[in-house]
Amino acid sequence: MDGTTYQNNDRLYQDLARKLIAELASGKFPVGSRLPAERELAQQYAVSRPTVREAVIALEVQGLVEVRIGSGAYVIALPGKRQIAGFDIPAFELTEARLLFEGEAAALAASQVNDEDVAEIERLVSEIARENQDPRGTVKADRAFHLAIAKATRNTAIYETIEKLWALRDTSPEAALLHEKARTANVKPVVEEHTAVLDALKARDPKAARAAMRAHLAAVLDSLLFATEEKAVEEARRIAEAKRARYR
Amino acid sequence: MDGTTYQNNDRLYQDLARKLIAELASGKFPVGSRLPAERELAQQYAVSRPTVREAVIALEVQGLVEVRIGSGAYVIALPGKRQIAGFDIPAFELTEARLLFEGEAAALAASQVNDEDVAEIERLVSEIARENQDPRGTVKADRAFHLAIAKATRNTAIYETIEKLWALRDTSPEAALLHEKARTANVKPVVEEHTAVLDALKARDPKAARAAMRAHLAAVLDSLLFATEEKAVEEARRIAEAKRARYR
DNA sequence: CGCCTGTATTGGCCTGACCAATGGAACGCA
DNA sequence: TGCGTTCCATTGGTCAGGCCAATACAGGCG
């Protein structure tokens, strides 16, 4: 039949769902368009309506279509590109987001930290100092520092968000490359920046914590821009340069 | 019909799926165990077998269970904290995170918006007004409003973060419940709050935009606290109450 | 011209039924 | 006694048909 190796592992609905996904991928149903009515699909594919419903639900759970009562099933995304991956987020945007979010997180943390948190963060700062000496240049302590602050907010949603942004930073090839270049090109110790954040937390001063964290990430942003020299990213640089002033 | 008045406007199967996921998360069905038979679940939850099948398929597509013909549905993973799901984030924390993040997003957006953005956001505000009249109380326009602002930041990382937080809000059973209660209990129109944000964006005033957005979400936070009355969540309320002052 | 109402269409959900795969218990044989 | 075979209750897979509620759109009314 169809060249695609059919995995008819039982479950008619899976079979149908695969076919429908193939239809979406083929462009037959662009984003925003409506799928045929359930009764119609049932007839077209020679299955019962419950089976059609099951297949549509499978698509719905995967975030491909949205079902509107009394109206129909509408395509809201095409298969293939998952929005979750986020591999294509430019490094600048990632850092800009971190600047804003982690700034707020630091401010909140300043009003929430206990002595244990402070002790741990202090330990991490000295760890970062040691890490910076090492030419191999890991960023484990740096990452741990930021996550410790996120954790000190006592807010899971904030913690997970910041963790995800770090994960994206590490995952994105472009981002990793840029950060690596920025790091090697710019060996000046950022210990003072971290220390400033630490001091603000010790003082339980939200405003100072926010300012220190933003200053730190603004510096990272700067080093990113510095590393962004290839003409391939000239465009990005131009845009970024325009934004740059806002954070200093 | 059934005595348990669940007002989950859409899709019975989603309701059931949420409940089943909650059961999984509760540890009632460890990995490897078998779920009750479809017919049994249908009786337990007072729904028909097709509906149970739809819910089970939803779990299956999410990779939580595996269905074996003639045998049953077996748990193959727990909903716990695979990076995307995050079902266990309390509603308060979610909203607190949104307050901070969306506040910054609004500020950034204020310096980035163009006239088209403003027009779209203005349209959504009037849409929200209409939505509020409707006792069924959808939040589509509300969601679209917040996402439009996130989009106006021209920062993919920020947009995706905010989108994810909304998704969590909709997904989390506890969060959905609380928001539903808050919504019905607190019918006062939030249109003015949205309008304030819009005005700040029109004026390209970052500070005002941040303040307006924070005020809006602080109000949401308040209504959440108002809805949090059961003694089961007394603890959360106590903690939340302490945090509350910071945002006003 | 716009609002309003009626009606066809569409999804939501249910009842009841039959088939096929499974798996364990009862059974029979060595 | 032990093991293999058979039988059948259980369970998922699928279908047919039906009724309700929400929606959309056309045609009529003011």
Side-chain angles (χ1 to χ4, degrees):
Chain A
M1 299 296 130
D2 51 333
T4 63
T5 49
Y6 45 88
Q7 314 270 58
N8 217 335
N9 284 345
D10 307 321
R11 316 329 214 76
L12 237 194
Y13 92 85
Q14 291 181 344
D15 203 31
L16 216 200
R18 258 189 290 273
K19 288 179 182 171
L20 291 179
I21 289 176
E23 298 264 41
L24 292 191
S26 79
K28 185 171 176 182
F29 300 107
V31 172
S33 65
R34 209 204 69 175
L35 261 51
E38 291 181 355
R39 292 169 176 83
E40 197 173 331
L41 286 173
Q43 191 177 342
Q44 278 183 29
Y45 290 94
V47 296
S48 67
R49 189 150 84 99
T51 299
V52 171
R53 282 179 59 72
E54 292 176 351
V56 170
I57 284 171
L59 299 199
E60 190 179 21
V61 172
Q62 291 180 55
L64 298 177
V65 303
E66 177 195 24
V67 178
R68 299 182 204 152
I69 302 177
S71 179
Y74 294 81
V75 181
I76 61 179
L78 293 180
K81 70 174 199 107
R82 280 276 162 283
Q83 72 277 20
I84 301 141
F87 273 90
D88 52 351
I89 297 178
F92 177 86
E93 295 188 7
L94 220 38
T95 305
E96 183 179 50
R98 286 181 52 210
L99 188 155
L100 297 178
F101 295 170
E102 292 202 37
E104 294 309 299
L108 177 54
S111 69
Q112 303 281 106
V113 283
N114 56 36
D115 294 342
E116 282 178 46
D117 296 327
V118 171
E120 169 68 2
I121 293 171
E122 188 153 28
R123 192 184 65 75
L124 288 170
V125 169
S126 59
E127 184 73 20
I128 291 174
R130 190 172 331 127
E131 210 171 54
N132 275 2
Q133 302 295 336
D134 192 330
R136 290 170 306 181
T138 64
V139 289
K140 282 186 180 178
D142 192 22
R143 175 194 169 95
F145 170 83
H146 286 269
L147 289 183
I149 292 172
K151 188 180 176 194
T153 64
R154 305 281 186 275
N155 182 310
T156 314
I158 291 174
Y159 179 85
E160 290 200 1
T161 297
I162 291 176
E163 186 181 39
K164 183 188 174 186
L165 292 178
W166 269 86
L168 287 179
R169 195 201 98 135
D170 296 336
T171 312
S172 163
E174 180 222 358
L177 182 65
L178 276 177
H179 277 96
E180 178 57 23
K181 291 188 61 173
R183 198 190 58 74
T184 54
N186 179 19
V187 283
K188 70 170 76 96
V190 286
V191 179
E192 293 122 25
E193 295 167 13
H194 288 103
T195 305
V197 176
L198 172 62
D199 289 342
L201 290 179
K202 274 184 183 172
R204 267 69 169 175
D205 184 340
K207 283 193 174 184
R210 177 188 293 112
M213 181 61 86
R214 287 175 79 117
H216 169 45
L217 286 168
V220 174
L221 218 42
D222 267 359
S223 63
L224 270 182
L225 295 176
F226 181 74
T228 305
E229 289 178 69
E230 299 89 327
K231 64 177 179 182
V233 280
E234 252 307 309
E235 170 77 4
R237 182 196 178 88
R238 203 176 47 70
I239 297 172
E241 191 70 39
K243 291 183 174 181
R244 192 174 180 179
R246 285 202 303 275
Y247 305 118
R248 284 183 307 198
Chain B
M1 273 302 203
D2 46 348
T4 61
T5 64
Y6 6 77
Q7 299 288 7
N8 255 347
N9 296 337
D10 291 349
R11 317 331 214 60
L12 234 195
Y13 91 85
Q14 291 179 343
D15 197 34
L16 216 199
R18 257 190 283 275
K19 289 177 182 172
L20 292 179
I21 288 174
E23 298 263 43
L24 292 190
S26 79
K28 187 172 175 181
F29 301 107
V31 172
S33 64
R34 209 204 68 176
L35 260 51
E38 290 181 356
R39 292 168 176 82
E40 197 174 330
L41 286 174
Q43 191 177 342
Q44 278 183 29
Y45 290 93
V47 297
S48 68
R49 189 149 84 96
T51 298
V52 171
R53 284 182 56 74
E54 292 176 349
V56 170
I57 284 172
L59 298 200
E60 190 179 21
V61 172
Q62 291 181 52
L64 297 178
V65 303
E66 176 195 24
V67 177
R68 298 182 205 152
I69 301 177
S71 179
Y74 295 82
V75 181
I76 61 179
L78 292 181
K81 46 199 267 132
R82 47 178 30 54
Q83 66 265 20
I84 303 132
F87 275 89
D88 49 352
I89 298 179
F92 177 86
E93 296 189 6
L94 223 38
T95 305
E96 183 179 51
R98 287 181 52 211
L99 187 155
L100 297 178
F101 296 169
E102 293 203 37
E104 294 309 301
L108 177 54
S111 68
Q112 304 281 104
V113 282
N114 57 36
D115 293 341
E116 282 179 45
D117 296 328
V118 171
E120 170 68 4
I121 293 170
E122 186 153 30
R123 192 185 65 76
L124 288 170
V125 170
S126 59
E127 184 74 21
I128 291 173
R130 190 170 335 127
E131 210 170 55
N132 274 3
Q133 302 295 336
D134 192 331
R136 289 169 310 179
T138 63
V139 288
K140 284 185 180 177
D142 192 22
R143 175 195 170 97
F145 171 83
H146 287 268
L147 288 182
I149 291 172
K151 188 180 176 194
T153 64
R154 306 283 186 271
N155 182 308
T156 314
I158 291 174
Y159 179 85
E160 291 202 1
T161 296
I162 291 176
E163 186 182 40
K164 182 189 173 185
L165 291 178
W166 268 87
L168 288 179
R169 195 202 98 133
D170 294 336
T171 314
S172 161
E174 181 222 357
L177 181 65
L178 276 176
H179 277 95
E180 177 58 22
K181 291 188 61 174
R183 194 191 60 73
T184 53
N186 180 21
V187 284
K188 69 171 77 94
V190 286
V191 179
E192 293 121 26
E193 295 166 14
H194 288 102
T195 305
V197 175
L198 172 62
D199 289 343
L201 291 179
K202 274 184 182 170
R204 268 69 169 173
D205 183 341
K207 281 193 175 185
R210 178 189 291 112
M213 182 61 87
R214 287 175 79 116
H216 168 44
L217 286 168
V220 174
L221 218 42
D222 267 358
S223 64
L224 270 182
L225 294 175
F226 181 73
T228 306
E229 289 178 66
E230 301 88 326
K231 65 178 179 181
V233 280
E234 252 307 309
E235 170 78 4
R237 183 196 178 88
R238 201 174 48 70
I239 297 172
E241 191 70 37
K243 292 182 174 180
R244 193 176 182 179
R246 284 203 301 278
Y247 306 118
R248 285 185 307 199

